[in-house]
Short mmCIF file of all heavy atoms in Angstrom, two decimals:
data_model
loop_
_atom_site.label_atom_id
_atom_site.label_comp_id
_atom_site.label_asym_id
_atom_site.label_seq_id
_atom_site.Cartn_x
_atom_site.Cartn_y
_atom_site.Cartn_z
N ILE A 188 95.35 85.43 96.36
CA ILE A 188 96.41 85.25 97.33
C ILE A 188 95.95 85.19 98.76
O ILE A 188 96.35 84.30 99.50
CB ILE A 188 97.41 86.43 97.07
CG1 ILE A 188 98.12 86.34 95.78
CG2 ILE A 188 98.44 86.43 98.25
CD1 ILE A 188 98.97 87.58 95.39
N ILE A 189 95.09 86.13 99.11
CA ILE A 189 94.61 86.23 100.49
C ILE A 189 93.78 85.06 100.92
O ILE A 189 93.85 84.38 101.96
CB ILE A 189 93.89 87.56 100.77
CG1 ILE A 189 94.81 88.72 100.68
CG2 ILE A 189 93.23 87.46 102.27
CD1 ILE A 189 95.93 88.78 101.68
N ASN A 190 92.89 84.69 99.94
CA ASN A 190 91.91 83.59 100.22
C ASN A 190 92.64 82.27 100.27
O ASN A 190 92.20 81.40 101.11
CB ASN A 190 90.86 83.55 99.16
CG ASN A 190 89.65 82.66 99.49
OD1 ASN A 190 89.16 82.71 100.65
ND2 ASN A 190 89.24 81.81 98.57
N ASP A 191 93.58 82.00 99.59
CA ASP A 191 94.45 80.85 99.61
C ASP A 191 95.07 80.65 101.01
O ASP A 191 95.06 79.52 101.59
CB ASP A 191 95.52 80.74 98.63
CG ASP A 191 96.37 79.45 98.70
OD1 ASP A 191 95.83 78.39 98.43
OD2 ASP A 191 97.54 79.53 99.00
N ILE A 192 95.47 81.77 101.65
CA ILE A 192 96.04 81.64 102.96
C ILE A 192 94.88 81.43 104.03
O ILE A 192 95.12 80.65 104.95
CB ILE A 192 96.71 83.02 103.38
CG1 ILE A 192 97.92 83.21 102.40
CG2 ILE A 192 97.35 83.01 104.81
CD1 ILE A 192 98.58 84.59 102.41
N TYR A 193 93.72 82.07 103.81
CA TYR A 193 92.61 81.78 104.68
C TYR A 193 92.17 80.31 104.64
O TYR A 193 91.84 79.73 105.74
CB TYR A 193 91.43 82.63 104.27
CG TYR A 193 91.50 84.11 104.64
CD1 TYR A 193 90.75 85.03 103.99
CD2 TYR A 193 92.27 84.58 105.68
CE1 TYR A 193 90.75 86.36 104.29
CE2 TYR A 193 92.34 85.84 106.00
CZ TYR A 193 91.61 86.77 105.27
OH TYR A 193 91.64 88.12 105.60
N LEU A 194 92.33 79.67 103.58
CA LEU A 194 91.93 78.30 103.42
C LEU A 194 93.02 77.30 103.78
O LEU A 194 92.66 76.21 104.41
CB LEU A 194 91.52 78.05 101.95
CG LEU A 194 90.24 78.69 101.43
CD1 LEU A 194 90.01 78.46 99.95
CD2 LEU A 194 89.05 78.40 102.23
N ASN A 195 94.32 77.63 103.62
CA ASN A 195 95.30 76.66 103.74
C ASN A 195 96.43 77.07 104.69
O ASN A 195 97.34 76.31 105.06
CB ASN A 195 95.97 76.31 102.40
CG ASN A 195 94.93 75.82 101.34
OD1 ASN A 195 94.29 74.84 101.61
ND2 ASN A 195 94.83 76.54 100.21
N GLY A 196 96.44 78.31 105.16
CA GLY A 196 97.54 78.77 106.08
C GLY A 196 97.38 78.42 107.49
O GLY A 196 96.30 77.85 107.94
N SER A 197 98.43 78.63 108.22
CA SER A 197 98.32 78.35 109.73
C SER A 197 97.61 79.44 110.34
O SER A 197 97.35 80.51 109.77
CB SER A 197 99.85 78.37 110.23
OG SER A 197 100.40 79.68 110.18
N PRO A 198 97.28 79.25 111.62
CA PRO A 198 96.51 80.28 112.30
C PRO A 198 97.19 81.65 112.30
O PRO A 198 96.58 82.73 112.07
CB PRO A 198 96.34 79.74 113.72
CG PRO A 198 96.24 78.29 113.49
CD PRO A 198 97.32 77.97 112.43
N LEU A 199 98.46 81.70 112.44
CA LEU A 199 99.23 82.95 112.50
C LEU A 199 99.32 83.55 111.07
O LEU A 199 99.29 84.72 110.93
CB LEU A 199 100.67 82.80 113.12
CG LEU A 199 100.66 82.60 114.67
CD1 LEU A 199 102.12 82.54 115.12
CD2 LEU A 199 99.99 83.72 115.33
N GLN A 200 99.52 82.74 110.09
CA GLN A 200 99.58 83.19 108.70
C GLN A 200 98.21 83.82 108.33
O GLN A 200 98.16 84.80 107.60
CB GLN A 200 99.95 82.03 107.77
CG GLN A 200 101.38 81.59 107.82
CD GLN A 200 101.63 80.37 106.92
OE1 GLN A 200 100.77 79.51 106.72
NE2 GLN A 200 102.89 80.24 106.43
N ARG A 201 97.06 83.25 108.79
CA ARG A 201 95.76 83.71 108.48
C ARG A 201 95.61 85.11 109.17
O ARG A 201 95.05 86.02 108.51
CB ARG A 201 94.67 82.80 108.90
CG ARG A 201 94.64 81.48 108.11
CD ARG A 201 93.39 80.71 108.34
NE ARG A 201 93.16 80.22 109.72
CZ ARG A 201 93.49 79.02 110.11
NH1 ARG A 201 94.05 78.14 109.23
NH2 ARG A 201 93.26 78.62 111.38
N LYS A 202 96.22 85.33 110.28
CA LYS A 202 96.14 86.63 110.92
C LYS A 202 96.94 87.61 110.17
O LYS A 202 96.55 88.79 109.98
CB LYS A 202 96.58 86.56 112.40
CG LYS A 202 95.64 85.77 113.28
CD LYS A 202 96.15 85.81 114.74
CE LYS A 202 95.08 85.11 115.66
NZ LYS A 202 94.91 83.69 115.44
N VAL A 203 98.17 87.26 109.66
CA VAL A 203 98.94 88.17 108.85
C VAL A 203 98.11 88.57 107.63
O VAL A 203 98.12 89.77 107.31
CB VAL A 203 100.26 87.48 108.48
CG1 VAL A 203 101.04 88.32 107.35
CG2 VAL A 203 101.16 87.22 109.62
N ALA A 204 97.57 87.59 106.91
CA ALA A 204 96.80 87.86 105.71
C ALA A 204 95.66 88.83 106.01
O ALA A 204 95.37 89.81 105.22
CB ALA A 204 96.23 86.61 105.17
N SER A 205 95.02 88.68 107.12
CA SER A 205 93.92 89.51 107.47
C SER A 205 94.31 90.91 107.83
O SER A 205 93.76 91.92 107.34
CB SER A 205 93.18 88.94 108.76
OG SER A 205 92.02 89.70 109.02
N VAL A 206 95.50 91.08 108.46
CA VAL A 206 96.03 92.37 108.84
C VAL A 206 96.40 93.10 107.54
O VAL A 206 96.20 94.34 107.38
CB VAL A 206 97.15 92.32 109.84
CG1 VAL A 206 97.88 93.68 109.88
CG2 VAL A 206 96.67 91.90 111.19
N PHE A 207 97.04 92.36 106.60
CA PHE A 207 97.44 93.01 105.38
C PHE A 207 96.30 93.45 104.52
O PHE A 207 96.32 94.46 103.83
CB PHE A 207 98.33 92.04 104.55
CG PHE A 207 99.72 91.90 105.08
CD1 PHE A 207 100.55 90.88 104.64
CD2 PHE A 207 100.22 92.80 105.99
CE1 PHE A 207 101.86 90.75 104.99
CE2 PHE A 207 101.51 92.64 106.54
CZ PHE A 207 102.33 91.59 105.98
N LEU A 208 95.24 92.71 104.59
CA LEU A 208 93.94 93.07 103.85
C LEU A 208 93.38 94.40 104.49
O LEU A 208 93.05 95.39 103.88
CB LEU A 208 92.97 91.92 103.87
CG LEU A 208 91.74 92.11 102.90
CD1 LEU A 208 91.22 90.84 102.44
CD2 LEU A 208 90.66 92.96 103.55
N GLU A 209 93.20 94.30 105.89
CA GLU A 209 92.52 95.44 106.63
C GLU A 209 93.41 96.67 106.60
O GLU A 209 92.85 97.75 106.49
CB GLU A 209 92.37 94.98 108.02
CG GLU A 209 91.49 93.81 108.34
CD GLU A 209 90.04 94.12 108.45
OE1 GLU A 209 89.64 95.30 108.27
OE2 GLU A 209 89.21 93.26 108.78
N SER A 210 94.69 96.58 106.70
CA SER A 210 95.47 97.74 107.06
C SER A 210 96.34 98.17 105.73
O SER A 210 97.06 99.18 105.86
CB SER A 210 96.53 97.39 108.19
OG SER A 210 95.86 96.96 109.33
N PHE A 211 96.28 97.28 104.65
CA PHE A 211 97.05 97.69 103.50
C PHE A 211 96.21 97.70 102.18
O PHE A 211 96.18 98.73 101.49
CB PHE A 211 98.30 96.71 103.41
CG PHE A 211 99.05 96.90 102.13
CD1 PHE A 211 99.65 98.05 101.70
CD2 PHE A 211 99.21 95.72 101.22
CE1 PHE A 211 100.43 98.16 100.55
CE2 PHE A 211 99.89 95.88 100.10
CZ PHE A 211 100.49 97.08 99.68
N LEU A 212 95.68 96.61 101.83
CA LEU A 212 95.05 96.46 100.55
C LEU A 212 93.83 97.39 100.35
O LEU A 212 93.51 97.66 99.21
CB LEU A 212 94.56 94.91 100.38
CG LEU A 212 95.78 93.96 100.22
CD1 LEU A 212 95.20 92.53 100.03
CD2 LEU A 212 96.66 94.36 99.09
N PHE A 213 93.16 97.70 101.36
CA PHE A 213 92.04 98.67 101.24
C PHE A 213 92.40 100.04 100.76
O PHE A 213 91.69 100.79 100.18
CB PHE A 213 91.28 98.85 102.58
CG PHE A 213 90.34 97.66 102.98
CD1 PHE A 213 90.47 97.08 104.14
CD2 PHE A 213 89.43 97.23 102.05
CE1 PHE A 213 89.57 96.03 104.57
CE2 PHE A 213 88.55 96.17 102.40
CZ PHE A 213 88.71 95.57 103.72
N TYR A 214 93.71 100.39 100.95
CA TYR A 214 94.03 101.80 100.98
C TYR A 214 94.29 102.31 99.58
O TYR A 214 94.15 103.54 99.32
CB TYR A 214 95.26 102.06 101.85
CG TYR A 214 94.78 102.02 103.29
CD1 TYR A 214 94.62 100.86 104.00
CD2 TYR A 214 94.44 103.32 103.96
CE1 TYR A 214 94.19 100.91 105.25
CE2 TYR A 214 94.07 103.27 105.20
CZ TYR A 214 93.93 102.12 105.92
OH TYR A 214 93.39 102.14 107.21
N SER A 215 94.43 101.50 98.57
CA SER A 215 94.44 102.04 97.12
C SER A 215 93.16 102.59 96.75
O SER A 215 93.01 103.43 95.89
CB SER A 215 94.88 100.86 96.19
OG SER A 215 94.00 99.81 96.22
N GLY A 216 92.02 102.10 97.42
CA GLY A 216 90.71 102.47 97.16
C GLY A 216 90.33 103.66 98.11
O GLY A 216 89.70 104.57 97.62
N PHE A 217 90.82 103.67 99.34
CA PHE A 217 90.54 104.67 100.35
C PHE A 217 91.11 105.98 99.86
O PHE A 217 90.57 107.11 100.24
CB PHE A 217 91.09 104.32 101.69
CG PHE A 217 90.20 103.32 102.41
CD1 PHE A 217 90.81 102.57 103.42
CD2 PHE A 217 88.88 102.99 102.09
CE1 PHE A 217 90.07 101.60 104.06
CE2 PHE A 217 88.16 102.07 102.77
CZ PHE A 217 88.76 101.32 103.69
N TYR A 218 92.16 106.00 99.14
CA TYR A 218 92.77 107.28 98.70
C TYR A 218 91.81 108.20 98.04
O TYR A 218 91.75 109.42 98.24
CB TYR A 218 93.98 106.96 97.77
CG TYR A 218 94.75 108.18 97.30
CD1 TYR A 218 95.90 108.64 97.89
CD2 TYR A 218 94.28 108.91 96.18
CE1 TYR A 218 96.58 109.70 97.46
CE2 TYR A 218 94.90 110.10 95.78
CZ TYR A 218 96.07 110.47 96.43
OH TYR A 218 96.72 111.64 96.05
N THR A 219 91.00 107.62 97.11
CA THR A 219 90.07 108.52 96.40
C THR A 219 89.13 109.21 97.16
O THR A 219 89.03 110.52 97.04
CB THR A 219 89.41 107.53 95.30
OG1 THR A 219 90.32 106.95 94.40
CG2 THR A 219 88.36 108.34 94.52
N PRO A 220 88.32 108.65 97.97
CA PRO A 220 87.34 109.51 98.77
C PRO A 220 88.04 110.45 99.72
O PRO A 220 87.52 111.45 99.99
CB PRO A 220 86.50 108.44 99.51
CG PRO A 220 87.36 107.20 99.52
CD PRO A 220 88.13 107.22 98.27
N LEU A 221 89.27 110.00 100.26
CA LEU A 221 89.95 110.94 101.14
C LEU A 221 90.35 112.23 100.40
O LEU A 221 90.43 113.31 100.85
CB LEU A 221 91.09 110.32 101.82
CG LEU A 221 90.69 109.11 102.84
CD1 LEU A 221 91.92 108.47 103.35
CD2 LEU A 221 89.82 109.62 103.88
N TYR A 222 90.81 111.96 99.18
CA TYR A 222 91.25 113.09 98.27
C TYR A 222 90.14 114.01 97.98
O TYR A 222 90.21 115.28 98.07
CB TYR A 222 91.89 112.56 97.02
CG TYR A 222 92.36 113.58 96.03
CD1 TYR A 222 93.60 114.13 96.12
CD2 TYR A 222 91.47 114.03 95.03
CE1 TYR A 222 93.99 115.16 95.27
CE2 TYR A 222 91.89 115.10 94.14
CZ TYR A 222 93.17 115.58 94.28
OH TYR A 222 93.55 116.54 93.41
N TYR A 223 88.94 113.44 97.71
CA TYR A 223 87.78 114.28 97.37
C TYR A 223 87.40 114.97 98.68
O TYR A 223 86.93 116.20 98.57
CB TYR A 223 86.67 113.46 96.83
CG TYR A 223 86.79 113.13 95.29
CD1 TYR A 223 86.82 111.87 94.91
CD2 TYR A 223 87.09 114.18 94.39
CE1 TYR A 223 87.04 111.49 93.50
CE2 TYR A 223 87.23 113.87 93.05
CZ TYR A 223 87.21 112.51 92.62
OH TYR A 223 87.45 112.19 91.24
N LEU A 224 87.34 114.36 99.78
CA LEU A 224 87.01 115.02 101.09
C LEU A 224 87.84 116.29 101.31
O LEU A 224 87.36 117.30 101.63
CB LEU A 224 87.07 114.06 102.19
CG LEU A 224 86.82 114.60 103.58
CD1 LEU A 224 85.44 115.04 103.75
CD2 LEU A 224 87.21 113.54 104.66
N GLY A 225 89.20 116.02 101.04
CA GLY A 225 90.08 117.16 101.31
C GLY A 225 89.95 118.31 100.32
O GLY A 225 90.41 119.41 100.53
N ASN A 226 89.24 118.03 99.12
CA ASN A 226 88.89 119.02 98.19
C ASN A 226 87.42 119.42 98.26
O ASN A 226 86.88 120.01 97.30
CB ASN A 226 89.28 118.66 96.82
CG ASN A 226 90.78 118.59 96.65
OD1 ASN A 226 91.42 119.62 96.32
ND2 ASN A 226 91.46 117.42 96.80
N SER A 227 86.72 119.06 99.28
CA SER A 227 85.32 119.41 99.57
C SER A 227 84.39 118.96 98.49
O SER A 227 83.50 119.62 98.06
CB SER A 227 85.17 121.01 99.70
OG SER A 227 85.94 121.46 100.79
N LYS A 228 84.68 117.74 98.07
CA LYS A 228 83.75 117.01 97.12
C LYS A 228 83.30 115.73 97.73
O LYS A 228 84.06 115.03 98.35
CB LYS A 228 84.54 116.84 95.71
CG LYS A 228 84.85 118.06 95.03
CD LYS A 228 85.63 117.72 93.74
CE LYS A 228 86.08 118.91 93.02
NZ LYS A 228 86.81 118.59 91.76
#
């Protein structure tokens, strides 16, 4: 989904896709290490 916008979207659409990747899509993964950090692991 994101790569298709990078390849075919308008300049503003590409920025939206990038922000959604940076500020949203990473966080399902970031939850895990933050949870362990809070539990001293």
Side-chain angles (χ1 to χ4, degrees):
I188 292 170
I189 296 295
N190 193 44
D191 181 63
I192 298 168
Y193 284 156
L194 295 175
N195 303 302
S197 69
L199 287 183
Q200 287 176 331
R201 293 196 293 265
K202 289 181 176 68
V203 171
S205 184
V206 169
F207 284 170
L208 192 155
E209 300 269 9
S210 304
F211 171 59
L212 292 178
F213 281 129
Y214 285 81
S215 59
F217 287 157
Y218 181 96
T219 300
L221 294 176
Y222 179 85
Y223 283 124
L224 176 64
N226 287 280
S227 300
K228 297 178 182 178

